[in-house]
Amino acid sequence: MDRDFLIDLFADFGPVTIRRMFSGFGISADGTNFALALRAGLYFRADETTIPQFEAEGSQPFSYQTRTKTVTVNSYWQLPARLFDDSEELSNWARAALAAAQRAALRKRPKARKAAKKTAKKTAKKTVAIAAKKVAAKKPVAKRSQFVG
């Protein structure tokens, strides 16, 4: 699949951004990646809400082969071939895929906040330690008198 074909395919859906990704393209709308065009197949983002639709159509999740095993990516499912000829229904599936991607992004956000919180705590601890060292360095040292007498 080439870029022009994908632009035409998603014309009824609305504006999409198509970027080179791996051996194909990543397709996003509103800053959210919701589809992959890889190995002559088009894969839409899916979750527990939309996977039954893909299963009912006989679609399979995206998978690839490494040297030792086959890796299956259950979050992207192959678009049924019949949808390439039905732009209106393809748009409905694309909206469902975008919604699945947005739900996934919402589930990931709390982890990012926790990581930021941990980083902030570490930074605060370092700041306190540095401040303590500076205070200790500024303490006046009792001087011995030069003349003992």
Side-chain angles (χ1 to χ4, degrees), residues 61-90:
F62 174 69
S63 63
Y64 61 93
Q65 186 70 39
T66 67
R67 290 182 191 174
T68 57
K69 64 182 177 178
T70 299
V71 177
T72 301
V73 181
N74 283 314
S75 57
Y76 283 91
W77 284 66
Q78 189 163 23
L79 188 68
R82 68 177 183 80
L83 296 177
F84 285 93
D85 297 325
D86 187 346
S87 63
E88 187 177 324
E89 192 171 356
L90 183 133

Side-chain angles (χ1 to χ4, degrees), residues 22-40:
F22 308 119
S23 61
F25 298 99
I27 302 159
S28 60
D30 299 327
T32 303
N33 195 42
F34 71 93
L36 300 172
L38 302 168
R39 298 187 190 141

Side-chain angles (χ1 to χ4, degrees), residues 46-148:
D47 62 8
E48 64 279 349
T49 304
T50 58
I51 287 175
Q53 284 180 295
F54 288 97
E55 290 174 332
E57 293 280 344
S59 293
Q60 299 293 315
F62 174 69
S63 63
Y64 61 93
Q65 186 70 39
T66 67
R67 290 182 191 174
T68 57
K69 64 182 177 178
T70 299
V71 177
T72 301
V73 181
N74 283 314
S75 57
Y76 283 91
W77 284 66
Q78 189 163 23
L79 188 68
R82 68 177 183 80
L83 296 177
F84 285 93
D85 297 325
D86 187 346
S87 63
E88 187 177 324
E89 192 171 356
L90 183 133
S91 293
N92 292 336
W93 282 64
R95 279 189 273 287
L98 179 59
Q102 290 167 336
R103 286 189 295 271
L106 287 174
R107 285 191 294 269
K108 286 183 181 181
R109 282 198 179 138
K111 290 179 185 176
R113 285 190 203 136
K114 284 182 184 178
K117 206 177 220 183
K118 284 182 181 179
T119 303
K121 282 184 181 180
K122 285 181 181 178
T123 303
K125 284 181 182 179
K126 285 181 183 177
T127 303
V128 168
I130 291 170
K133 285 181 183 178
K134 286 181 180 178
V135 168
K138 289 183 179 180
K139 283 186 180 177
V141 178
K143 294 183 179 180
R144 286 196 251 172
S145 176
Q146 288 182 332
F147 303 106
V148 178

